[in-house]
Amino acid sequence: MAASKKRKKPQLLSHTRPTSVKKAPSLSSQATRSVIRNHHTLQKHLHTAIASGDTAAAQGLQAQLANSGGLKKYQEASIQGQSSERGGDSSKVLVEWVKEALLPGICGGTAGRPKLRMLEVGALKVDNACSRSGIFDMTRIDLHSQHPDIQTQDFMRMPLPSKEAIDEDGYDVVSLSLVVNYVGDAVGRGKMLRRVGGYLRSGIQVGGKAALERSALPALFLVLPAPCVTNSRYLDEGRLQDIMTRLGYVKGRSKLSKKLVYYLWRYGGGNAAKERAVAFKKQEIQPGGSRNNFAIVLQ
């Protein structure tokens, strides 16, 4: 009698498919903060070395960045820092503010109303609060996209809508959440903030309700590490207010937490001649040995 063959148990379908995305190992909160801080520090030193023409120092810093995991490791740490378990999704604040600013029943995506157009710069996730809210028609960009729904795009090289097409192709909200502080120099930060206005369209018209909505939108949602404003030699709340006013913004909302400062800046339209009339140089306004050197310069 022939020996009976042992029948194989069918594999689950999920076991027969290759894993398309390998999930990064979870980092502790302390390790996440360490990776982000180290990356920012190396990037800052690298920018200084390049600006001063120190090729040897720049090459050494580039090697250190590569050995520490580079941008990929930084993005992984940033994504984990934004997880709901760690309360790190800054866009929750934006959603709350926009819902409060718009009249009940006419929020984007409700009662036949078109969604608000939002440009998220430096996007890392496609399931954050603004994406899930149903309020926004999202355009997400990042220098090095890690997701098919995030476009690989340098904001500073992204085509600007023409004046004739701004209301159709522009945005109601531009989000720069923990993006400006990533720029390596003060002049570059100023250029980034100045550029935002070119993407913002005029106030939304909804019958007789337009006046209230125009008081909140279009707007820049700006998030910075709190020490950039509270503990810098070169920037404080008043200085930032002056810079944003010069660029054509009015502060709508702000919130200071232990780690971050959030702003919703309403854009009223820039006057190019007025914007160029006053330069904001790197000027010490809060002396002290324990303060940081974060600055924003308008030339």
Side-chain angles (χ1 to χ4, degrees):
M1 183 175 179
S4 61
K5 292 184 179 180
K6 194 171 182 180
R7 297 179 64 184
K8 289 185 178 180
K9 188 176 180 180
Q11 281 186 296
L12 294 175
L13 184 60
S14 60
H15 291 175
T16 67
R17 290 175 176 168
T19 304
S20 57
V21 179
K22 188 175 181 180
K23 189 174 180 180
S26 181
L27 297 171
S28 68
S29 296
Q30 183 177 358
T32 296
R33 290 192 296 270
S34 177
V35 168
I36 292 172
R37 279 197 304 267
N38 183 59
H39 187 86
H40 278 287
T41 300
L42 290 174
Q43 283 284 3
K44 181 174 68 175
H45 292 332
L46 175 60
H47 186 276
T48 301
I50 292 173
S52 64
D54 191 339
T55 304
Q59 290 176 342
L61 289 161
Q62 287 171 337
Q64 289 184 57
L65 279 165
N67 291 336
S68 64
L71 184 62
K72 185 174 186 295
K73 188 72 172 180
Y74 171 80
Q75 288 180 320
E76 290 172 358
S78 297
I79 290 171
Q80 291 185 31
Q82 289 183 18
S83 67
S84 58
E85 292 84 357
R86 297 183 186 179
D89 183 1
S90 63
S91 73
K92 292 186 294 185
V93 176
L94 172 61
V95 171
E96 177 185 332
W97 284 348
V98 170
K99 285 184 175 179
E100 289 176 357
L102 300 181
L103 291 175
I106 62 168
C107 210
T110 64
R113 162 84 178 277
K115 293 181 179 181
L116 303 177
R117 283 174 53 80
M118 175 174 166
L119 173 62
E120 184 180 13
V121 182
L124 294 173
K125 302 177 70 177
V126 298
D127 61 349
N128 56 7
C130 58
S131 298
R132 300 192 311 268
S133 68
I135 298 174
F136 301 107
D137 177 10
M138 301 289 299
T139 298
R140 308 176 185 89
I141 65 171
D142 189 59
L143 283 171
H144 299 276
S145 170
Q146 299 295 305
H147 193 282
D149 291 335
I150 300 173
Q151 301 174 31
T152 297
Q153 175 70 62
D154 183 346
F155 174 67
M156 299 303 292
R157 298 187 178 186
M158 182 175 176
L160 286 162
S162 66
K163 291 182 179 179
E164 296 74 21
I166 187 64
D167 283 342
E168 181 178 351
D169 298 335
Y171 298 90
D172 301 298
V173 178
V174 172
S175 172
L176 296 179
S177 179
L178 299 177
V179 172
V180 174
N181 56 292
Y182 188 81
V183 178
D185 68 296
V187 173
R189 295 171 196 139
K191 288 179 178 178
M192 175 172 279
L193 289 176
R194 191 187 294 277
R195 189 174 179 82
V196 172
Y199 296 95
L200 291 170
R201 57 188 183 179
S202 59
I204 305 165
Q205 301 290 333
V206 184
K209 312 295 187 182
L212 178 61
E213 293 202 34
R214 283 202 301 270
S215 69
L217 299 173
L220 163 64
F221 180 59
L222 176 67
V223 183
L224 295 167
C228 290
V229 179
T230 62
N231 194 43
S232 169
R233 293 182 181 86
Y234 306 107
L235 189 72
D236 61 6
E237 186 74 18
R239 180 78 166 180
L240 180 60
Q241 176 89 46
D242 291 343
I243 289 172
M244 298 306 292
T245 298
R246 180 57 55 190
L247 293 176
Y249 292 89
V250 175
K251 184 166 70 174
R253 300 290 297 269
S254 64
K255 175 183 177 180
L256 176 64
S257 71
K258 185 177 179 180
K259 297 179 181 178
L260 301 174
V261 59
Y262 309 78
Y263 297 97
L264 190 65
W265 297 97
R266 199 269 168 182
Y267 186 60
N271 181 310
K274 183 180 177 182
E275 286 180 16
R276 288 194 297 266
V278 177
F280 285 84
K281 300 179 180 180
K282 189 174 181 179
Q283 177 183 352
E284 187 175 76
I285 54 178
Q286 297 187 113
S290 62
R291 296 190 183 277
N292 65 68
N293 294 319
F294 184 82
I296 296 173
V297 168
L298 291 183
Q299 293 182 328

